[in-house]
Amino acid sequence: MDSDAIRLATAGDLTVVEEVVNSAYAHYTARIGRKPGPMLDDHAARIAAGQTHLLERDGAMLGLIVLIPQPDALLVENVAVSPAAQGLGLGRRLMDFAETRARAAGLPRLRLYTHVAMVENQAIYARLGYAETRRVIEAGLHRIYMEKPLA
């Protein structure tokens, strides 16, 4: 039986965090014409701020989620699953973890964004109950913001 655990990342996890993010997002580079935002993020700062959570299975780090509290929501800044582990339900497990954290913090909704070209992600988020709230250009990237209210 697989043993999953989600824990806060530490400074010693930086290399594996960068490896998972880069491998999970690399295939989007050609589609959007540049590296996606998560590949450019300051992962050391996110780890130091206590925002990066790692999903480990049997001791191997297979995914991560970056959560940033906002006054009215919990922002899912990044969710990434190692390509070798995609399709195993780990992304869903990380999103469920985000919901649990938002509820525990008394926040009424989850918020996230994705690139307009990442249509697969948009479909996944819609199936999870997220609805588009706005489209913007930030840091030169065309983003779609989505939210999920928590009852």
Side-chain angles (χ1 to χ4, degrees), residues 13-25 43 61 64 81-83:
D13 295 312
L14 179 61
T15 299
V16 72
V17 165
E18 291 174 340
E19 289 170 358
V20 168
V21 170
N22 290 337
S23 66
Y25 286 93
H43 300 289
M61 205 282 272
L64 62 90
V81 174
S82 173

Side-chain angles (χ1 to χ4, degrees), residues 52-80:
T52 304
H53 304 265
L54 308 182
L55 186 148
E56 297 176 328
R57 177 171 283 179
D58 298 327
M61 205 282 272
L62 300 179
L64 62 90
I65 192 164
V66 177
L67 302 174
I68 302 174
Q70 298 179 326
D72 65 338
L74 184 61
L75 176 68
V76 177
E77 175 72 17
N78 183 9
V79 60

